[in-house]
Amino acid sequence: MLKIVIADSYDQVSEEAFKIMRQVVEKENPVLGLATGSTPVGLYKKMIADHKTNGTSYKNAITFNLDEYVGLPRNHEQSYYTFMHDNLFNEIDVPEENIHIPNGEAADPEAECVRYESEMAKYVVDVQVLGIGSDGHIAFNEPGAAFDSLTHTMELTEQTRKDNARFFDGDIDQVPTLAITQGLGTIMRAKKIILIATGANKADAVYGMIKGPKTTECPASILQDHPDVTVILDEEAAAKIK
Ligand code: PGA
């Protein structure tokens, strides 16, 4: 079931997401599914502020990230390893050994997918944070990814590489072409999902996810089958579903 919340600013979108996250973090050993991209940064800022101000601890949290570029060194400023440390992990008290991110530098990416999936199989994700791509992707499950897919490698679409070029000096040629990503089947095992989207360039993908047919052409449409998804949108991202 998709519960839809429309908030009137990016800060409010982040606040609504934070409220759900905060409840889960109070659990004894929370398992947090985390995402990269610009959308979750506001949520992460609120988690950091709450940790610093109220002492909310992540000592017993386990984290699993959704995806990573293949071929970027992990200390590259645009690797998701670096992104997560800069935007969250270095500012809270989650132990490094509790953090899981696919290894984009693995000599055998296919073997890394199997390793990552089997690590995830030891846990149940309590809450998964998701963004959505303008092509309807969730994590790096691009159009055509199977609904029952497990962690796999995925060629990035031209659209995704164009969208992400802004992080690579605006140069699409610097954007990696391949990623390791949790599959749609992996993501669907999470107990609870928060999907956040802002801005007019997400309106079509949001429409496809919520109102469109369930089709692998819009990977996010699989969420229609999940029992506990909260979709948090600003007015622009919600423009086509009203
Ligand atoms: P964004 O990315 O938050 O940077 O828009 C979302 C996504 O591609 O999942």
Side-chain angles (χ1 to χ4, degrees), residues 109-156:
E110 300 302 332
E112 171 60 10
C113 293
V114 173
R115 184 199 68 80
Y116 198 70
E117 185 69 30
S118 61
E119 200 53 39
M120 287 205 69
K122 297 176 191 165
Y123 300 90
V124 177
V125 172
D126 289 304
V127 65
Q128 177 65 57
V129 177
L130 294 177
I132 185 170
S134 64
D135 64 358
H137 72 217
I138 49 176
F140 272 136
N141 291 283
E142 299 283 29
F147 279 165
D148 61 357
S149 51
L150 302 179
T151 302
H152 60 108
T153 57
M154 188 98 224
E155 292 280 349
L156 303 183

Side-chain angles (χ1 to χ4, degrees), residues 37-39 131-133 137 166 202:
S38 24
T39 316
I132 185 170
H137 72 217
R166 69 190 194 278
K202 301 293 174 68

Side-chain angles (χ1 to χ4, degrees), residues 24-230:
V24 174
V25 171
E26 273 169 23
K27 279 192 52 178
E28 215 163 303
N29 294 108
V31 182
L32 309 180
L34 301 175
T36 52
S38 24
T39 316
V41 170
L43 163 65
Y44 297 157
K45 285 202 168 112
K46 288 182 189 284
M47 290 165 70
I48 293 166
D50 173 56
H51 167 69
K52 296 198 167 167
T53 311
N54 306 318
T56 300
S57 177
Y58 293 79
K59 273 200 183 111
N60 297 319
I62 304 279
T63 72
F64 281 95
N65 265 83
L66 288 169
D67 46 16
E68 179 61 283
Y69 291 117
V70 169
L72 280 193
R74 78 179 198 178
N75 64 359
H76 187 285
E77 60 173 1
Q78 294 307 333
S79 79
Y80 288 167
Y81 177 91
T82 295
F83 177 96
M84 287 307 302
H85 283 78
D86 287 352
N87 286 285
L88 182 65
F89 297 147
N90 289 347
E91 306 295 330
I92 58 175
D93 60 347
V94 62
E96 185 64 32
E97 62 271 23
N98 292 7
I99 294 169
H100 303 80
I101 304 176
N103 177 8
E105 294 182 274
D108 180 349
E110 300 302 332
E112 171 60 10
C113 293
V114 173
R115 184 199 68 80
Y116 198 70
E117 185 69 30
S118 61
E119 200 53 39
M120 287 205 69
K122 297 176 191 165
Y123 300 90
V124 177
V125 172
D126 289 304
V127 65
Q128 177 65 57
V129 177
L130 294 177
I132 185 170
S134 64
D135 64 358
H137 72 217
I138 49 176
F140 272 136
N141 291 283
E142 299 283 29
F147 279 165
D148 61 357
S149 51
L150 302 179
T151 302
H152 60 108
T153 57
M154 188 98 224
E155 292 280 349
L156 303 183
T157 61
E158 180 84 3
Q159 183 62 51
T160 294
R161 295 180 66 235
K162 249 188 228 160
D163 288 345
N164 288 5
R166 69 190 194 278
F167 299 116
F168 292 85
D169 306 323
D171 178 6
I172 189 171
D173 292 334
Q174 287 183 43
V175 183
T177 55
L178 192 69
I180 294 175
T181 180
Q182 286 184 33
L184 295 170
T186 320
I187 292 167
M188 287 291 280
R189 292 202 304 264
K191 278 193 214 160
K192 184 186 278 299
I193 291 176
I194 309 169
L195 186 142
I196 46 183
T198 58
N201 69 322
K202 301 293 174 68
D204 285 327
V206 166
Y207 181 89
M209 165 174 67
I210 294 171
K211 302 267 194 198
K214 247 186 306 161
T215 162
T216 56
E217 285 315 298
C218 178
S221 65
I222 193 180
L223 298 175
Q224 294 173 18
D225 279 349
H226 191 282
D228 186 357
V229 182
T230 305

Side-chain angles (χ1 to χ4, degrees), residues 8-26:
D8 57 15
S9 65
Y10 176 62
D11 186 62
Q12 275 309 309
V13 167
S14 304
E15 183 62 28
E16 292 294 330
F18 173 69
K19 278 191 218 155
I20 299 172
M21 173 61 73
R22 183 69 179 71
Q23 279 179 356
V24 174
V25 171
E26 273 169 23

